[in-house]
Amino acid sequence: MVVNQEFKALIEAHYDEFLRDLAKVIEVQSVRGPAELHAPFGKGPRQVLTVAVKLADQYGFKTSIVNDAVAVAQWGPDTSDYIVIVGHLDVVAAGEGWQSDPFKLNIREDTLYGRGVLDNKGPIMAVLFGMHLLKERGFYPRKTLRIIFGSDEESGSADIPLYLKEQPAPEFGFTPDCKFPAVYGERGIVNYEIDTQIKLAALQQISTITGDQAKDHVPDQLTIEVQNQLIEVQGKRSPSNAPELGVNAIMLLAKAIKKRAELAPELVTYFDWLLDSFDQRYFGEGLGIDFQDEDSGKLMVTPYLLQKVEGGLKLSIAIRYPVTVTEEQVTAGLKKAILPGSELRVVRRIPGTMHDKNDPRIKQLSAVYAMVTGQDGTPVTTTGATYARAVPNIIAFGPSFPGQKGIAHKQDEWMTNHDLKLNMEIYMNAMVGLAKMEEKK
């Protein structure tokens, strides 16, 4: 494996052009909205596909939009046998607390800020621009390279079935929507609702809980009235797959509620259970489900939604479990841990995925990463969920480097110029390396 040393200089010479084009993509507010004709995931996600296709056209690639859900930029022979790089242009809602407009590419102290700059507009556009630089330099792949831009990854990846309905699955590929080095396995994900009955007299002591609570992040700000006294708590937001980096406002709320005098015993019991089970117990140890394995490490649990509902309280939790553990094992353990009279229900499940880490193509990506960065390229697993679960024969590869965690889905989402340039260099070498591997078959 020989890394092309010219790529670094090529990227540097054209980086301002790349930032100009990336800014056009960042400014589209591609958050999922109501479905419309020719816009299955809303106006913003559909609009951003058009922007990407226009740029890819300008770069000289063959383009298309499949079922108004996925944009395609293709280079090389026009065959159904192809290497794919899959990214997404939809983003989560910006939320509050940004220092600059989340839908304007902002640069402060050599760091880029904007919703999607890391997840995932920056990295997938770096792949497209890198492919453009390869083309301008004169490289031509004898194996078809295809970039596909999704528009619904953040809301369930319903875009991929619409793509695969019209197009064959790739031979191999990667998604730049996770971390480095090559990611050969992704943990299973299962979300539960736990309904606990509370008598009406006790339930009337508390009001509806308000605040930003969603499955993609640890909640950071919640408000409730207890015995007609207002309680507001302020935590720290983090992605739901990195709960240890946040301060969960649900736990802060439980602690504050418990300090109120004359709280009904049922509520005291509930909030005691909540704190004993989840407060700073990120790995299932408070529930007796602290599974772990050599490949993927410890199980991870994140409470993300607490609601007052008719007849009681509803807690929603997300669990990411190791690749050698089953959902059935997790469910069986949880049933033993919930309060008597509670009902446990699965509301979302995403099975894990595993690939052979000794696959020559995964080894090729590992070698590229090691040669470009000088870092250990040993393949890893992840707690995240990527398109690798939806698109056959692909793995996750980048964009975050070791030690970088909990950046996406937060205010002031960022990526440094250095890292984005390094991403582009890695991906250019990866595209050349994979294309040449497939030529030799």
Side-chain angles (χ1 to χ4, degrees), residues 67-86:
N67 279 332
D68 294 307
V70 168
V72 177
Q74 183 170 299
W75 184 34
D78 191 10
T79 69
S80 59
D81 261 353
Y82 62 98
I83 299 294
V84 75
I85 300 96
V86 193

Side-chain angles (χ1 to χ4, degrees), residues 16 34 77 79 90 101 106 113 135 149 164 169-170 185 200 207 286 301 333 344 355 364 376:
D16 285 345
T79 69
D90 62 304
D101 186 338
N106 190 272
Y113 294 88
K135 180 174 176 293
F149 306 87
L164 293 174
L200 180 60
S207 71
V301 57
L344 182 69
H355 297 267
Q364 174 76 6
D376 182 8

Side-chain angles (χ1 to χ4, degrees), residues 5-69:
Q5 300 299 329
E6 297 176 22
F7 291 169
K8 190 184 296 290
L10 196 61
I11 292 165
E12 200 65 50
H14 295 275
Y15 191 66
D16 285 345
E17 300 166 39
F18 166 67
L19 291 182
R20 176 200 64 201
D21 292 345
L22 176 59
K24 297 174 184 176
V25 178
I26 294 287
E27 71 183 12
V28 182
Q29 297 189 31
S30 49
V31 179
R32 181 166 181 164
E36 299 183 12
L37 184 65
H38 300 303
F41 312 115
K43 287 183 179 179
R46 181 60 182 79
Q47 180 189 352
V48 78
L49 297 183
T50 300
V51 173
V53 160
K54 184 176 179 181
L55 290 171
D57 282 336
Q58 292 172 1
Y59 299 158
F61 299 120
K62 179 181 177 181
T63 62
S64 63
I65 295 179
V66 180
N67 279 332
D68 294 307

Side-chain angles (χ1 to χ4, degrees), residues 4 73 97 100 123 191 227 243 275 294 315 384 390 392 400 415 417:
N4 194 309
S100 53
N191 289 29
Q227 299 167 328
L275 292 167
E294 185 176 349
L315 178 70
S400 294
M415 193 171 188
N417 281 311

Side-chain angles (χ1 to χ4, degrees), residues 239-436:
S240 58
N241 69 334
E244 75 281 9
L245 299 183
V247 177
N248 197 314
I250 294 174
M251 300 301 113
L252 298 180
L253 201 70
K255 291 175 183 178
I257 290 171
K258 279 197 62 190
K259 293 179 181 178
R260 301 297 163 176
E262 299 179 4
L263 196 65
E266 278 186 275
L267 291 177
V268 173
T269 297
Y270 182 83
F271 290 111
D272 277 341
W273 169 79
L274 194 63
L275 292 167
D276 289 344
S277 300
F278 300 101
D279 187 29
Q280 298 186 59
R281 297 189 167 192
Y282 311 114
F283 309 114
E285 62 269 39
L287 299 161
I289 54 170
D290 46 340
F291 300 109
Q292 58 182 302
D293 64 25
E294 185 176 349
D295 278 305
S296 50
K298 297 179 179 180
L299 175 145
M300 189 168 287
V301 57
T302 306
Y304 62 85
L305 176 62
L306 180 63
Q307 298 171 286
K308 177 184 174 182
V309 296
E310 185 177 353
L313 291 166
K314 182 192 298 290
L315 178 70
S316 299
I317 64 174
I319 290 180
R320 288 165 165 81
Y321 54 92
V323 293
T324 59
V325 174
T326 66
E327 179 188 312
E328 289 74 21
Q329 288 174 283
V330 175
T331 300
L334 267 181
K335 284 181 177 177
K336 297 176 183 177
I338 59 179
L339 287 170
S342 297
E343 180 184 348
L344 182 69
R345 180 169 55 257
V346 174
V347 293
R348 177 181 181 236
R349 54 167 55 95
I350 307 176
T353 182
M354 279 281 283
H355 297 267
D356 180 4
K357 60 186 174 185
N358 294 311
D359 183 310
R361 297 163 299 188
I362 293 178
K363 285 189 171 183
Q364 174 76 6
L365 294 179
S366 299
V368 166
Y369 172 80
M371 292 294 290
V372 172
T373 66
Q375 303 298 315
D376 182 8
T378 303
V380 295
T381 63
T382 184
T383 59
T386 76
Y387 274 142
R389 301 173 193 246
V391 181
N393 309 321
I394 75 166
I395 66 165
F397 186 51
S400 294
F401 294 96
Q404 296 176 340
K405 191 176 182 182
I407 302 168
H409 298 186
K410 294 172 64 177
Q411 305 94 332
D412 291 325
E413 181 180 340
W414 59 270
M415 193 171 188
T416 66
N417 281 311
H418 172 272
D419 285 355
L420 199 47
K421 291 174 185 177
L422 194 55
N423 265 249
M424 197 181 299
E425 184 181 356
I426 291 168
Y427 293 141
M428 288 172 71
N429 279 284
M431 284 186 279
V432 171
L434 288 174
K436 287 184 174 179

